[in-house]
Amino acid sequence: MVIGAFPNTRLRRLRQSAWMRDLCSENDLTPSDLILPIFVREPETSPHIPSMPGVLRLTLDELIDVVHQAADAGIPALALFPTTPVELRCPDGSEALNPDNLICRAIQTIKSLNLNIGVITDVALDPYTDHGHDGVIINGRVDNEATIEILQQQAYIQAKAGADALAPSDMMDGRILALRHYLDDRDYADCLLISYAVKYASSFYGPFRQAVGVQQLSGLKDKKTYQMNPANSDEAMREIAQDIQEGADMIIIKPGMPYLDVMQRAAAQFNIPLLAYQVSGEYAMIKAAAQNGWLEEERTVLESLIAFKRAGAHGILSYFALEVAQNLSA
Ligand code: PBG
């Protein structure tokens, strides 16, 4: 005779009251889990991002107040993205190498505040190229080696401006090793490399592209020759293994919620800090539903974020980070 666990075991017994649920909670979410992405702009650029209601592009002046709020709420780090004025964009993204560009001035502005908050900057050319791709196009393809040469210089000027961590999101092969050596040779051995090792060619980046002013990709119609196929997760493990070997300090998996299986596999397989990126399209979906009264925003956001912790993420980049951290620390 098979003897069932019931009635000796009643799993509902542990759910009766808040104290039991809190005590037995397997994961928790704290402000120190959250990284806030911020779009910075020149004063002439509009602050509004229609597909990301509630997120504004910030001038360097406006940035100061938000950075103080983030530090006060216990957020450990910010991820900065520039909206480069259209007239400064060109095929090889040379504005990325201008030591006085918007992103370098943003880094300097934040570091001059002397707060206990990390500054992470993106290493990739898409906010600077007129075609919107992450690298330079040669003979009809995004050229791996030519792009890496530019990324090395981009990384160097960001490190020089004071960035604590650089996050290459370009998906060129071998860029982690190339950047690591380039930085080490120039006295930036302590600058972290947070690799977007696993970055899918995703439709969920749409609102981000609007935010940084990439209207439409040209040259190549999509990023599928360098970003990953959403059908794959073995390949994601290879990307992570390779970037760890090349010297990555942390790994980002993005987008977030559609790829929780990839996060879970990565957490089981690797002993390295893993970050999930709840990307712009995920933000837009929750926000739009909430604005229509179809979802209750605060609870939905918390549920979406704890899911990343459950899957094994050590931290989460989210456009909701500031309000969530403020609520959690209130
Ligand atoms: C590009 C980059 C993208 C994002 C971060 N860095 C977009 C892209 O690859 O087209 C997307 C982030 C988001 O959607 O929130 N280097």
Side-chain angles (χ1 to χ4, degrees):
M1 189 175 79
V2 178
I3 301 175
F6 178 83
N8 292 343
T9 300
R10 290 173 178 266
L11 289 172
R12 286 187 57 197
R13 202 150 45 212
L14 278 174
R15 299 180 196 137
Q16 293 176 81
S17 53
W19 74 261
M20 292 179 195
R21 294 190 293 268
D22 288 345
L23 186 64
C24 299
S25 174
E26 297 174 36
N27 293 287
D28 64 350
L29 183 73
T30 67
S32 64
D33 294 320
L34 299 169
I35 295 172
L36 176 66
I38 294 179
F39 299 108
V40 291
R41 66 176 173 109
E42 299 288 6
E44 304 74 47
T45 305
S46 161
H48 300 291
I49 309 163
S51 52
M52 300 184 75
V55 176
L56 295 173
R57 302 184 187 102
L58 305 176
T59 62
L60 301 187
D61 283 344
E62 293 161 347
L63 182 62
I64 295 174
D65 185 41
V66 173
V67 174
H68 274 112
Q69 288 180 43
D72 287 347
I75 287 184
L78 310 165
L80 304 181
F81 299 96
T83 305
T84 308
V86 181
E87 62 275 15
L88 296 178
R89 298 181 194 222
C90 68
D92 62 1
S94 57
E95 176 65 7
L97 308 187
N98 170 8
D100 197 34
N101 68 16
L102 180 58
I103 205 71
C104 290
R105 282 179 282 126
I107 297 167
Q108 288 155 351
T109 302
I110 298 173
K111 293 316 286 184
S112 72
L113 303 175
N114 271 318
L115 299 169
N116 178 31
I117 195 160
V119 176
I120 305 169
T121 51
D122 211 56
V123 178
L125 298 181
D126 55 300
Y128 308 96
T129 53
D130 53 4
H131 44 71
H133 283 285
D134 294 30
V136 285
I137 301 178
I138 299 177
N139 296 330
R141 57 197 302 267
V142 174
D143 189 276
N144 201 81
E145 269 68 8
T147 298
I148 288 179
E149 272 180 38
I150 302 174
L151 297 180
Q152 287 176 314
Q153 299 170 57
Q154 180 187 25
Y156 176 55
I157 67 153
Q158 292 178 357
K160 229 163 52 169
D164 302 292
L166 306 177
S169 70
D170 55 288
M171 290 297 279
M172 297 302 112
D173 284 328
R175 88 276 208 223
I176 298 298
L177 186 68
L179 293 176
R180 188 69 278 161
H181 282 174
Y182 198 85
L183 293 168
D184 289 2
D185 289 346
R186 286 161 186 76
D187 283 339
Y188 289 100
D190 284 339
C191 187
L192 273 61
L193 287 177
I194 303 181
S195 176
Y196 286 90
V198 181
K199 180 171 180 184
Y200 287 93
S202 174
S203 302
F204 288 98
Y205 307 147
F208 174 97
R209 292 190 192 159
Q210 182 175 62
V212 298
V214 175
Q215 304 305 348
Q216 211 178 357
L217 297 176
S218 58
L220 293 151
K221 66 177 190 319
D222 56 46
K223 299 190 176 184
K224 289 181 186 172
T225 68
Y226 48 107
Q227 299 181 349
M228 278 185 50
N229 179 353
N232 298 352
S233 73
D234 286 345
E235 186 187 358
M237 300 306 109
R238 297 181 73 193
E239 284 280 5
I240 296 172
Q242 186 169 333
D243 283 5
I244 292 174
Q245 251 189 349
E246 290 183 27
D249 298 291
M250 298 187 212
I251 297 291
I252 301 177
I253 295 172
K254 105 193 232 193
M257 203 145 76
Y259 298 91
L260 287 176
D261 58 321
V262 178
M263 176 60 71
Q264 190 173 32
R265 277 189 75 174
Q269 198 164 324
F270 300 103
N271 301 314
I272 188 166
L274 296 168
L275 306 177
Y277 198 143
Q278 182 178 55
V279 300
S280 58
E282 299 174 70
Y283 174 89
M285 287 194 301
I286 294 176
K287 204 72 184 181
Q291 285 187 336
N292 276 292
W294 298 336
L295 286 174
E296 204 273 287
E297 180 169 329
E298 194 179 332
R299 282 164 48 195
T300 307
V301 170
L302 287 174
E303 185 177 333
S304 71
L305 296 175
I306 199 72
F308 294 118
K309 296 294 300 288
R310 193 186 64 241
H314 300 91
I316 307 149
L317 292 100
S318 171
Y319 300 96
F320 292 112
L322 183 56
E323 49 194 272
V324 170
Q326 283 172 335
N327 288 340
L328 290 175
S329 58

